[in-house]
Amino acid sequence: MNNLYEKLMLDFRFEEGLNACMNCGVCTAICPAAEFYNYDPRQIVDTVQLMDDREIEDLLKSDVIWYCGECMSCKTRCPRGNAPGLIIMALRSLSQELGYFVESEKGRQQLAVKRTVGQWILDYGYCLYLEGVKTDQHPEQGPVWDWIQSNYKEVYRRLGANYQGEGPGSFVRYLKRPWMRSGKYLR
């Protein structure tokens, strides 16, 4: 065994996230993900505190660590100042480092999203490339996304964004970046 607990302790997020959990469950009560998934941040913290490598390995291979939205509501409500969200982040990193994420459907999905978003940044200069998210491929986006796709110029104008425009703004046109051409950096 790799002594997974010791590996977790090397992650600063783990050290910051776990002070002295008294297992009160406030983190689970406030957690938005717990409302929609079979997800219990208190239980995850409890499992990690047991320092049982077999249990930690099961967490690293499970979908459950990928349900967290990293909103940090848990931190704001914890009477002891714990942050289960930071512990989840440390678990995710360790799962990726050790390759356990591939045993989880949600873990594999996050890899696909990271690669897609990363490629969009390289190719277009945007984290969200509107034209790359269509509801036929991502039906969970629903009819609201179809409406945004059809009306994005007006929506972004109202928001003050500069999507595919020239000049300053959070959506600066990628062609204006001299170091980027077709997803390749020029040196």
Side-chain angles (χ1 to χ4, degrees), residues 129-142:
Y129 178 60
L130 286 175
E131 294 82 347
V133 181
K134 302 287 186 187
T135 50
D136 59 336
Q137 295 172 323
H138 303 277
E140 70 277 7
Q141 297 298 329

mmCIF file with all atom_site columns, all heavy atoms in Angstrom, residues 129-142:
data_model
loop_
_atom_site.group_PDB
_atom_site.id
_atom_site.type_symbol
_atom_site.label_atom_id
_atom_site.label_alt_id
_atom_site.label_comp_id
_atom_site.label_asym_id
_atom_site.label_entity_id
_atom_site.label_seq_id
_atom_site.pdbx_PDB_ins_code
_atom_site.Cartn_x
_atom_site.Cartn_y
_atom_site.Cartn_z
_atom_site.occupancy
_atom_site.B_iso_or_equiv
_atom_site.pdbx_formal_charge
_atom_site.auth_seq_id
_atom_site.auth_comp_id
_atom_site.auth_asym_id
_atom_site.auth_atom_id
_atom_site.pdbx_PDB_model_num
ATOM 1   N N   . TYR A 1 129 ? -16.039 28.251 -25.127 1.00 0.00 ? 129 TYR A N   1
ATOM 2   C CA  . TYR A 1 129 ? -16.203 28.586 -26.533 1.00 0.00 ? 129 TYR A CA  1
ATOM 3   C C   . TYR A 1 129 ? -17.642 28.228 -26.880 1.00 0.00 ? 129 TYR A C   1
ATOM 4   O O   . TYR A 1 129 ? -17.998 27.057 -26.982 1.00 0.00 ? 129 TYR A O   1
ATOM 5   C CB  . TYR A 1 129 ? -15.199 27.802 -27.375 1.00 0.00 ? 129 TYR A CB  1
ATOM 6   C CG  . TYR A 1 129 ? -15.308 28.034 -28.851 1.00 0.00 ? 129 TYR A CG  1
ATOM 7   C CD1 . TYR A 1 129 ? -15.145 29.309 -29.388 1.00 0.00 ? 129 TYR A CD1 1
ATOM 8   C CD2 . TYR A 1 129 ? -15.568 26.986 -29.721 1.00 0.00 ? 129 TYR A CD2 1
ATOM 9   C CE1 . TYR A 1 129 ? -15.239 29.525 -30.745 1.00 0.00 ? 129 TYR A CE1 1
ATOM 10  C CE2 . TYR A 1 129 ? -15.664 27.193 -31.078 1.00 0.00 ? 129 TYR A CE2 1
ATOM 11  C CZ  . TYR A 1 129 ? -15.499 28.467 -31.584 1.00 0.00 ? 129 TYR A CZ  1
ATOM 12  O OH  . TYR A 1 129 ? -15.601 28.679 -32.932 1.00 0.00 ? 129 TYR A OH  1
ATOM 13  N N   . LEU A 1 130 ? -18.493 29.240 -26.981 1.00 0.00 ? 130 LEU A N   1
ATOM 14  C CA  . LEU A 1 130 ? -19.933 29.030 -27.156 1.00 0.00 ? 130 LEU A CA  1
ATOM 15  C C   . LEU A 1 130 ? -20.274 28.053 -28.263 1.00 0.00 ? 130 LEU A C   1
ATOM 16  O O   . LEU A 1 130 ? -21.132 27.193 -28.107 1.00 0.00 ? 130 LEU A O   1
ATOM 17  C CB  . LEU A 1 130 ? -20.621 30.363 -27.466 1.00 0.00 ? 130 LEU A CB  1
ATOM 18  C CG  . LEU A 1 130 ? -20.775 31.336 -26.326 1.00 0.00 ? 130 LEU A CG  1
ATOM 19  C CD1 . LEU A 1 130 ? -21.356 32.643 -26.836 1.00 0.00 ? 130 LEU A CD1 1
ATOM 20  C CD2 . LEU A 1 130 ? -21.625 30.756 -25.238 1.00 0.00 ? 130 LEU A CD2 1
ATOM 21  N N   . GLU A 1 131 ? -19.598 28.209 -29.368 1.00 0.00 ? 131 GLU A N   1
ATOM 22  C CA  . GLU A 1 131 ? -19.915 27.379 -30.515 1.00 0.00 ? 131 GLU A CA  1
ATOM 23  C C   . GLU A 1 131 ? -19.550 25.913 -30.293 1.00 0.00 ? 131 GLU A C   1
ATOM 24  O O   . GLU A 1 131 ? -19.964 25.041 -31.036 1.00 0.00 ? 131 GLU A O   1
ATOM 25  C CB  . GLU A 1 131 ? -19.215 27.918 -31.772 1.00 0.00 ? 131 GLU A CB  1
ATOM 26  C CG  . GLU A 1 131 ? -19.732 29.277 -32.213 1.00 0.00 ? 131 GLU A CG  1
ATOM 27  C CD  . GLU A 1 131 ? -19.138 30.467 -31.458 1.00 0.00 ? 131 GLU A CD  1
ATOM 28  O OE1 . GLU A 1 131 ? -18.494 30.287 -30.408 1.00 0.00 ? 131 GLU A OE1 1
ATOM 29  O OE2 . GLU A 1 131 ? -19.335 31.600 -31.916 1.00 0.00 ? 131 GLU A OE2 1
ATOM 30  N N   . GLY A 1 132 ? -18.786 25.630 -29.245 1.00 0.00 ? 132 GLY A N   1
ATOM 31  C CA  . GLY A 1 132 ? -18.365 24.270 -28.955 1.00 0.00 ? 132 GLY A CA  1
ATOM 32  C C   . GLY A 1 132 ? -19.325 23.484 -28.070 1.00 0.00 ? 132 GLY A C   1
ATOM 33  O O   . GLY A 1 132 ? -19.150 22.293 -27.874 1.00 0.00 ? 132 GLY A O   1
ATOM 34  N N   . VAL A 1 133 ? -20.322 24.152 -27.519 1.00 0.00 ? 133 VAL A N   1
ATOM 35  C CA  . VAL A 1 133 ? -21.283 23.483 -26.632 1.00 0.00 ? 133 VAL A CA  1
ATOM 36  C C   . VAL A 1 133 ? -22.652 23.532 -27.292 1.00 0.00 ? 133 VAL A C   1
ATOM 37  O O   . VAL A 1 133 ? -23.319 24.559 -27.288 1.00 0.00 ? 133 VAL A O   1
ATOM 38  C CB  . VAL A 1 133 ? -21.338 24.150 -25.242 1.00 0.00 ? 133 VAL A CB  1
ATOM 39  C CG1 . VAL A 1 133 ? -22.316 23.416 -24.336 1.00 0.00 ? 133 VAL A CG1 1
ATOM 40  C CG2 . VAL A 1 133 ? -19.967 24.202 -24.607 1.00 0.00 ? 133 VAL A CG2 1
ATOM 41  N N   . LYS A 1 134 ? -23.037 22.437 -27.878 1.00 0.00 ? 134 LYS A N   1
ATOM 42  C CA  . LYS A 1 134 ? -24.341 22.324 -28.546 1.00 0.00 ? 134 LYS A CA  1
ATOM 43  C C   . LYS A 1 134 ? -25.217 21.357 -27.761 1.00 0.00 ? 134 LYS A C   1
ATOM 44  O O   . LYS A 1 134 ? -24.733 20.368 -27.208 1.00 0.00 ? 134 LYS A O   1
ATOM 45  C CB  . LYS A 1 134 ? -24.176 21.807 -29.986 1.00 0.00 ? 134 LYS A CB  1
ATOM 46  C CG  . LYS A 1 134 ? -23.278 22.664 -30.851 1.00 0.00 ? 134 LYS A CG  1
ATOM 47  C CD  . LYS A 1 134 ? -23.969 23.936 -31.215 1.00 0.00 ? 134 LYS A CD  1
ATOM 48  C CE  . LYS A 1 134 ? -23.117 24.731 -32.200 1.00 0.00 ? 134 LYS A CE  1
ATOM 49  N NZ  . LYS A 1 134 ? -23.610 26.019 -32.483 1.00 0.00 ? 134 LYS A NZ  1
ATOM 50  N N   . THR A 1 135 ? -26.506 21.613 -27.741 1.00 0.00 ? 135 THR A N   1
ATOM 51  C CA  . THR A 1 135 ? -27.387 20.760 -26.946 1.00 0.00 ? 135 THR A CA  1
ATOM 52  C C   . THR A 1 135 ? -27.557 19.359 -27.527 1.00 0.00 ? 135 THR A C   1
ATOM 53  O O   . THR A 1 135 ? -27.972 18.458 -26.811 1.00 0.00 ? 135 THR A O   1
ATOM 54  C CB  . THR A 1 135 ? -28.776 21.406 -26.754 1.00 0.00 ? 135 THR A CB  1
ATOM 55  O OG1 . THR A 1 135 ? -29.278 21.828 -28.003 1.00 0.00 ? 135 THR A OG1 1
ATOM 56  C CG2 . THR A 1 135 ? -28.698 22.571 -25.811 1.00 0.00 ? 135 THR A CG2 1
ATOM 57  N N   . ASP A 1 136 ? -27.219 19.148 -28.792 1.00 0.00 ? 136 ASP A N   1
ATOM 58  C CA  . ASP A 1 136 ? -27.286 17.782 -29.295 1.00 0.00 ? 136 ASP A CA  1
ATOM 59  C C   . ASP A 1 136 ? -26.180 16.917 -28.677 1.00 0.00 ? 136 ASP A C   1
ATOM 60  O O   . ASP A 1 136 ? -26.338 15.718 -28.494 1.00 0.00 ? 136 ASP A O   1
ATOM 61  C CB  . ASP A 1 136 ? -27.229 17.734 -30.822 1.00 0.00 ? 136 ASP A CB  1
ATOM 62  C CG  . ASP A 1 136 ? -25.972 18.353 -31.412 1.00 0.00 ? 136 ASP A CG  1
ATOM 63  O OD1 . ASP A 1 136 ? -25.350 19.205 -30.756 1.00 0.00 ? 136 ASP A OD1 1
ATOM 64  O OD2 . ASP A 1 136 ? -25.621 17.972 -32.548 1.00 0.00 ? 136 ASP A OD2 1
ATOM 65  N N   . GLN A 1 137 ? -25.054 17.548 -28.297 1.00 0.00 ? 137 GLN A N   1
ATOM 66  C CA  . GLN A 1 137 ? -23.973 16.826 -27.630 1.00 0.00 ? 137 GLN A CA  1
ATOM 67  C C   . GLN A 1 137 ? -24.082 16.913 -26.108 1.00 0.00 ? 137 GLN A C   1
ATOM 68  O O   . GLN A 1 137 ? -23.602 16.052 -25.398 1.00 0.00 ? 137 GLN A O   1
ATOM 69  C CB  . GLN A 1 137 ? -22.618 17.396 -28.049 1.00 0.00 ? 137 GLN A CB  1
ATOM 70  C CG  . GLN A 1 137 ? -22.310 17.191 -29.510 1.00 0.00 ? 137 GLN A CG  1
ATOM 71  C CD  . GLN A 1 137 ? -21.045 17.938 -29.905 1.00 0.00 ? 137 GLN A CD  1
ATOM 72  O OE1 . GLN A 1 137 ? -20.785 19.033 -29.420 1.00 0.00 ? 137 GLN A OE1 1
ATOM 73  N NE2 . GLN A 1 137 ? -20.280 17.334 -30.794 1.00 0.00 ? 137 GLN A NE2 1
ATOM 74  N N   . HIS A 1 138 ? -24.684 17.975 -25.618 1.00 0.00 ? 138 HIS A N   1
ATOM 75  C CA  . HIS A 1 138 ? -24.809 18.222 -24.177 1.00 0.00 ? 138 HIS A CA  1
ATOM 76  C C   . HIS A 1 138 ? -26.264 18.552 -23.860 1.00 0.00 ? 138 HIS A C   1
ATOM 77  O O   . HIS A 1 138 ? -26.605 19.705 -23.578 1.00 0.00 ? 138 HIS A O   1
ATOM 78  C CB  . HIS A 1 138 ? -23.904 19.375 -23.742 1.00 0.00 ? 138 HIS A CB  1
ATOM 79  C CG  . HIS A 1 138 ? -22.469 19.171 -24.071 1.00 0.00 ? 138 HIS A CG  1
ATOM 80  N ND1 . HIS A 1 138 ? -21.635 18.428 -23.269 1.00 0.00 ? 138 HIS A ND1 1
ATOM 81  C CD2 . HIS A 1 138 ? -21.715 19.578 -25.123 1.00 0.00 ? 138 HIS A CD2 1
ATOM 82  C CE1 . HIS A 1 138 ? -20.424 18.408 -23.803 1.00 0.00 ? 138 HIS A CE1 1
ATOM 83  N NE2 . HIS A 1 138 ? -20.448 19.091 -24.921 1.00 0.00 ? 138 HIS A NE2 1
ATOM 84  N N   . PRO A 1 139 ? -27.150 17.547 -23.905 1.00 0.00 ? 139 PRO A N   1
ATOM 85  C CA  . PRO A 1 139 ? -28.582 17.817 -23.716 1.00 0.00 ? 139 PRO A CA  1
ATOM 86  C C   . PRO A 1 139 ? -28.921 18.404 -22.352 1.00 0.00 ? 139 PRO A C   1
ATOM 87  O O   . PRO A 1 139 ? -29.965 19.040 -22.190 1.00 0.00 ? 139 PRO A O   1
ATOM 88  C CB  . PRO A 1 139 ? -29.238 16.450 -23.910 1.00 0.00 ? 139 PRO A CB  1
ATOM 89  C CG  . PRO A 1 139 ? -28.156 15.453 -23.750 1.00 0.00 ? 139 PRO A CG  1
ATOM 90  C CD  . PRO A 1 139 ? -26.879 16.134 -24.123 1.00 0.00 ? 139 PRO A CD  1
ATOM 91  N N   . GLU A 1 140 ? -28.034 18.213 -21.374 1.00 0.00 ? 140 GLU A N   1
ATOM 92  C CA  . GLU A 1 140 ? -28.303 18.762 -20.044 1.00 0.00 ? 140 GLU A CA  1
ATOM 93  C C   . GLU A 1 140 ? -28.342 20.288 -20.046 1.00 0.00 ? 140 GLU A C   1
ATOM 94  O O   . GLU A 1 140 ? -28.855 20.901 -19.123 1.00 0.00 ? 140 GLU A O   1
ATOM 95  C CB  . GLU A 1 140 ? -27.259 18.257 -19.030 1.00 0.00 ? 140 GLU A CB  1
ATOM 96  C CG  . GLU A 1 140 ? -25.860 18.803 -19.206 1.00 0.00 ? 140 GLU A CG  1
ATOM 97  C CD  . GLU A 1 140 ? -25.017 18.066 -20.254 1.00 0.00 ? 140 GLU A CD  1
ATOM 98  O OE1 . GLU A 1 140 ? -25.547 17.187 -20.965 1.00 0.00 ? 140 GLU A OE1 1
ATOM 99  O OE2 . GLU A 1 140 ? -23.825 18.382 -20.369 1.00 0.00 ? 140 GLU A OE2 1
ATOM 100 N N   . GLN A 1 141 ? -27.807 20.908 -21.089 1.00 0.00 ? 141 GLN A N   1
ATOM 101 C CA  . GLN A 1 141 ? -27.841 22.368 -21.179 1.00 0.00 ? 141 GLN A CA  1
ATOM 102 C C   . GLN A 1 141 ? -29.258 22.891 -21.399 1.00 0.00 ? 141 GLN A C   1
ATOM 103 O O   . GLN A 1 141 ? -29.584 23.984 -20.980 1.00 0.00 ? 141 GLN A O   1
ATOM 104 C CB  . GLN A 1 141 ? -26.920 22.859 -22.298 1.00 0.00 ? 141 GLN A CB  1
ATOM 105 C CG  . GLN A 1 141 ? -25.470 22.536 -22.100 1.00 0.00 ? 141 GLN A CG  1
ATOM 106 C CD  . GLN A 1 141 ? -24.891 23.177 -20.852 1.00 0.00 ? 141 GLN A CD  1
ATOM 107 O OE1 . GLN A 1 141 ? -25.305 24.239 -20.425 1.00 0.00 ? 141 GLN A OE1 1
ATOM 108 N NE2 . GLN A 1 141 ? -23.926 22.510 -20.247 1.00 0.00 ? 141 GLN A NE2 1
ATOM 109 N N   . GLY A 1 142 ? -30.069 22.106 -22.086 1.00 0.00 ? 142 GLY A N   1
ATOM 110 C CA  . GLY A 1 142 ? -31.488 22.423 -22.234 1.00 0.00 ? 142 GLY A CA  1
ATOM 111 C C   . GLY A 1 142 ? -31.798 23.582 -23.149 1.00 0.00 ? 142 GLY A C   1
ATOM 112 O O   . GLY A 1 142 ? -30.920 24.170 -23.786 1.00 0.00 ? 142 GLY A O   1
#
